[in-house]
Amino acid sequence: MAASSKETLVIIGSGPAGWSAATYAARAQLKPLVYEGAITEKNRMSGTLPLGQLALTSEVENYAGFPHGNLGAFLDSALPAARRQMMAPHAGEGVTGPELMELMRQQAVNMGTRIITDDILKVDFSQRPFKLFPSEGGVVEAACVIVATGASANWLGLPSEEKYKNRGVSACAVCDGALPRFRNQPIVVVGGGDSAVEEATYLAKFASTVHLVHRRDALRASKIMAQRAHDDPKIRIHFNSGLAEVLGDDAKGVTGVRLQSTVDASTEVLEAAGVFLAIGHTPNTGFLDGQLELTPKKYIVWKKHFRTDTTVEGVFAAGDVADDYYRQAISAAGTGCMSALDAERWLAAQGTH
Ligand code: NAP
């Protein structure tokens, strides 16, 4: 269905930044419209489905206000039955990423946020009102825009990685790790940051062994996470090592990997049923087509100190799409709140609100 409308505030993106911005904006009676992203196979593969990166993680231990506890009854009471039924049952521990995102989405809805489950493919910020072009067609005019499109997982770019995507190669352990093909099998995780350790620890529940492959001689992950990897008897860390090739065949998909040392010419072949990439993220700014100033790493530039203004007046940015430093759920939610307040003040100054 082609969407054409005139809006005061459109928020593009549906992670913690987008929903926090929506909650604040709706409470300020700005009637925000959120484009939460489309549910497509392409978005699944690129990690840009609705609810963002947090929906691809397991337990969230460090989001303020959600200590360990049985949140099952709360989830049942807070969420509409139809969406609750689509979610995994609550495990009886702390809140999970998907649960937290559903709660944030619901809070924004409760305040009056409207949601369209589609992607914005293109924008025109050259004149006001701004124009946004959804994938389903039509054009949405907006007096003010908040870009909160986050970042998505990186791939190494090996031909063999591409060949076995969906057949044992993945960038999301939580999405794919429990598949039968990985049960009691050796699995490889590539990366040395918090994501790699989180994925390795999660996969260790299903796998016989998890080979954590990192190109340096020490993990980049935080101390507490790194210790978990070192302490887990199922995780074997391969330092100074890179993934050179994913091995497999047409019948079985992934059957192993060839590792290449980063300090000498040695190589090693490991048997593996799966390969999980956890090598960082790239901000989702391609659709902006150069209309906002970006950093060399393609993150949106915040133009003013401690404000979420971009280089186009009336366009604000929040969350990981503009933050390559903190990149936490709670800091994304924080800048989401800031962007809504910035938007509200800017609209008031324009006499629009
Ligand atoms: P990250 O911290 O940027 O780590 C990426 C890792 O991938 C690094 O170890 C990096 O190696 C490696 N890498 C990058 N490109 C590579 C390549 N081409 N080949 C091989 N290895 C490559 O990313 P992240 O782990 O996704 O974490 C992102 C942010 O989210 C961080 O701020 C992190 O703290 C946060 N996070 C937090 C939690 C948590 O607290 N529970 C969980 C997940 C993520 P080098 O070390 O050599 O650079």
Side-chain angles (χ1 to χ4, degrees):
M1 190 185 68
S4 292
S5 61
K6 289 185 198 304
E7 303 292 338
T8 303
L9 173 64
V10 174
I11 297 166
I12 314 172
S14 58
W19 295 126
S20 299
T23 295
Y24 269 78
R27 235 178 138 250
Q29 318 236 300
L30 290 175
K31 301 185 178 62
L33 175 66
V34 172
Y35 269 84
E36 68 171 348
I39 301 170
T40 61
E41 181 57 18
K42 184 168 166 279
N43 283 352
R44 197 186 81 78
M45 287 308 293
S46 61
T48 52
L49 283 172
L51 306 184
Q53 291 176 65
L54 218 59
L56 308 178
T57 66
S58 49
E59 199 177 332
V60 179
E61 293 178 327
N62 52 6
Y63 198 93
F66 287 88
H68 277 239
N70 191 342
L71 294 166
F74 173 55
L75 290 162
D76 291 346
S77 66
L79 299 174
R83 287 192 75 88
R84 183 78 187 97
Q85 277 155 16
M86 289 191 300
M87 297 164 63
H90 182 69
E93 297 171 344
V95 73
T96 67
E99 289 168 354
L100 188 55
M101 294 321 301
E102 282 290 344
L103 289 168
M104 285 195 195
R105 184 184 191 278
Q106 191 57 41
Q107 197 171 6
V109 168
N110 292 351
M111 293 292 159
T113 299
R114 292 160 302 136
I115 300 169
I116 295 187
T117 308
D118 195 16
D119 291 327
I120 295 295
L121 296 184
K122 214 169 67 156
V123 295
D124 180 357
F125 291 157
S126 63
Q127 52 186 323
R128 299 204 290 259
F130 305 121
K131 290 191 174 64
L132 310 174
F133 301 90
S135 78
E136 64 187 6
V139 54
V140 178
E141 292 187 349
C144 181
V145 174
I146 294 174
V147 180
T149 44
S152 35
N154 289 342
W155 299 89
L156 285 170
L158 301 169
S160 56
E161 170 194 67
E162 186 62 34
K163 180 172 176 189
Y164 293 111
K165 267 186 194 171
N166 255 352
R167 303 189 59 232
V169 173
S170 166
C172 179
V174 177
C175 321
D176 301 326
L179 292 174
R181 63 174 299 129
F182 301 125
R183 297 246 161 193
N184 301 315
Q185 300 293 322
I187 288 177
V188 169
V189 174
V190 183
D194 281 330
S195 297
V197 171
E198 190 176 68
E199 301 232 328
T201 322
Y202 177 78
L203 289 165
K205 291 180 193 161
F206 312 103
S208 56
T209 307
V210 177
H211 299 283
L212 181 56
V213 174
H214 183 38
R215 62 186 178 182
R216 294 188 200 281
D217 61 2
L219 295 175
R220 168 186 294 279
S222 54
K223 270 196 181 138
I224 184 173
M225 300 284 282
Q227 196 57 47
R228 255 175 229 178
H230 286 289
D231 291 348
D232 193 316
K234 280 195 180 174
I235 298 177
R236 201 181 133 203
I237 308 179
H238 301 253
F239 286 118
N240 297 319
S241 199
L243 178 66
E245 188 182 1
V246 180
L247 307 173
D249 61 46
D250 287 346
K252 291 195 199 136
V254 172
T255 56
V257 293
R258 185 164 54 80
L259 302 183
Q260 167 78 58
S261 165
T262 54
V263 290
D264 57 36
S266 62
T267 61
E268 185 182 4
V269 170
L270 300 175
E271 203 185 303
V275 177
F276 289 82
L277 283 307
I279 56 167
H281 294 83
T282 299
N284 297 317
T285 49
F287 75 104
L288 297 169
D289 201 22
Q291 295 182 63
L292 300 180
E293 187 183 332
L294 305 180
T295 68
K297 288 182 182 169
K298 309 282 184 214
Y299 288 82
I300 295 175
V301 171
W302 276 318
K303 267 327 258 191
K304 297 183 189 167
H305 178 65
F306 224 72
R307 297 285 182 274
T308 60
D309 301 59
T310 69
T311 42
V312 173
E313 200 186 306
V315 178
F316 301 87
D320 283 12
V321 76
D323 171 18
D324 73 340
Y325 186 70
Y326 295 107
R327 297 183 294 180
Q328 303 297 304
I330 199 151
S331 51
T335 56
C337 152
M338 289 159 66
S339 69
L341 296 176
D342 290 339
E344 186 191 1
R345 284 168 197 166
W346 182 80
L347 283 163
Q350 304 298 305
T352 311
H353 173 60

